[in-house]
Amino acid sequence: MLDYDLHSHSAVSDGTLTPAELVGHAAERGVKTLALTDHDDMDGLPEARAAAASHGIRFINGVEISVTWRNNITVHVVGLNVDPRHGPLAEGVASVRRGRGERARKMAESLAAAGIGGALEGAYRHARNPELIGRTHFARFLVESGRCRDVASVFKNFLIKGKPGYVAHDWAALSDAVGWINGSGGVAVLAHPGRYTVGRKPLGKPTMRELLREFIDLGGRAIEVVSGSHTSQQCADAARYAAEFGLLASCGSDYHGPGESYRDLGQLPDFPLDCRPVWEAWEGVGGTPGAQDVGKG
Ligand code: AMP
Ligand code: MN
Ligand code: MN
Ligand code: MN
């Protein structure tokens, strides 16, 4: 099992634990190197870093940037070992956050049109950071109000294209997200490639290859091979893309909190053979623990 977990969320975005609680849970579960990768926000990093130091585990500054590719395809780019004080990165994710309030109002209108009132207030009650209001907070409201059994089932009947609560949105450009991450000294990782859709259909292989080619041409260097949200088939597919395109391989649970996650922290299966782990980018080949991230931001 891997003791690196390089994709996780706190209540700074749409997780349920505080950054310190998240780190405590990771340490308890045997994670030795953790990255906090909140959506479009890096405010949790100092608290998480301090908690990691007190638990004796290594911490990597991270972020997960929401991107719109080719007008209508949402993809997520994780930045690892970023410097949150880098101006273009900090301002870039702030600009991505600014669209969320208006989007939330439209989502609530769409739910109201389907007979579900009170969604805006209901969603904000679940958002500890109101700037990051998003679909997960609406999903928690829909569960709380008895419309769905759990958050995962919300995403079958609501908040996705063609269903109540869905609102198309323009996130960052792929070139900007990769540029901000690289500019800050980080590594850009294409998150959970198995999860992308166009409309409600999975992205086909030719389109995935075009995405990867463009991502690499812009400076992207890694792909999430092991993800809590991947099936073993999707993991194998991602490993093949990594080999085909010469990408480093990343791993992360995409943990959002107890009872709401695909997989618990510290439960990630090993990489398929031949993967080169993304931490080579900051530890060097073979790994010199603590090499570059210590003391950063
Ligand atoms: P947003 O950035 O507001 O569009 O929200 C995206 C978030 O919704 C993701 O980061 C997940 O936390 C959550 N989400 C999306 N699809 C699913 C799903 N099928 N099951 C559980 N959570 C999901
Ligand atoms: Mn999320
Ligand atoms: Mn994601
Ligand atoms: Mn995530």
Side-chain angles (χ1 to χ4, degrees):
M1 232 147 55
L2 290 162
D3 58 12
Y4 284 73
D5 194 321
L6 302 177
H7 188 153
S8 69
H9 296 272
S10 76
V12 165
S13 62
D14 57 358
T16 56
L17 303 179
T18 65
E21 287 167 347
L22 174 81
V23 171
H25 186 59
E28 239 168 60
R29 306 287 306 161
V31 174
K32 298 280 192 288
T33 303
L34 179 75
L36 173 64
T37 56
D38 274 313
H39 299 285
D40 309 318
D41 201 318
M42 300 179 287
D43 276 1
L45 298 178
E47 179 184 323
R49 176 169 292 277
S54 78
H55 287 279
I57 69 172
R58 300 179 69 225
F59 183 72
I60 303 293
N61 286 332
V63 65
E64 181 175 19
I65 304 180
S66 315
V67 163
T68 299
W69 182 62
R70 290 190 173 170
N71 296 319
N72 62 350
I73 301 175
T74 299
V75 305
H76 285 173
V77 177
V78 161
L80 294 177
N81 219 24
V82 293
D83 180 355
R85 293 162 306 191
H86 179 66
L89 174 62
E91 287 150 26
V93 295
S95 73
V96 178
R97 284 200 295 275
R98 276 193 283 277
R100 283 184 175 268
E102 183 58 26
R103 173 188 187 234
R105 276 188 289 281
K106 291 183 193 158
M107 289 168 69
E109 278 171 21
S110 163
L111 288 167
I116 299 173
L120 192 62
E121 302 69 29
Y124 272 107
R125 274 201 303 277
H126 289 279
R128 276 195 252 177
N129 174 6
E131 279 188 30
L132 241 292
I133 187 77
R135 286 190 291 163
T136 311
H137 308 109
F138 280 87
R140 290 184 187 133
F141 160 75
L142 290 168
V143 172
E144 174 192 59
S145 61
R147 267 115 182 162
C148 298
R149 193 178 63 243
D150 53 27
V151 165
S153 56
V154 172
F155 286 93
K156 296 192 173 77
N157 299 305
F158 297 96
L159 313 181
I160 56 174
K161 198 170 166 97
K163 302 286 184 179
Y166 175 78
V167 172
H169 191 71
D170 262 336
W171 303 106
L174 184 62
S175 55
D176 285 336
V178 174
W180 300 332
I181 291 166
N182 283 344
S184 84
V187 180
V189 184
L190 187 72
H192 44 64
R195 286 233 313 270
Y196 298 133
T197 52
V198 46
R200 271 157 61 192
K201 290 208 193 77
L203 223 61
K205 287 200 162 73
T207 312
M208 181 60 75
R209 289 200 165 89
E210 287 163 18
L211 170 60
L212 285 167
R213 180 43 51 209
E214 194 172 322
F215 175 68
I216 291 163
D217 288 346
L218 292 167
R221 290 166 64 192
I223 182 170
E224 233 170 46
V225 169
V226 172
S227 163
S229 67
H230 276 171
T231 63
S232 50
Q233 182 60 53
Q234 288 167 335
C235 171
D237 289 345
R240 265 196 298 276
Y241 287 128
E244 178 181 344
F245 288 88
L247 288 161
L248 296 168
S250 190
C251 60
S253 57
D254 207 352
Y255 186 75
H256 282 72
E260 252 190 47
S261 299
Y262 305 100
R263 226 178 235 276
D264 201 355
L265 291 158
Q267 300 284 301
L268 296 174
D270 284 323
F271 286 128
L273 290 177
D274 299 337
C275 284
R276 285 161 53 219
V278 66
W279 46 89
E280 282 185 4
W282 59 83
E283 291 178 7
V285 180
T288 45
Q292 222 169 32
D293 60 325
V294 175
K296 209 173 173 185

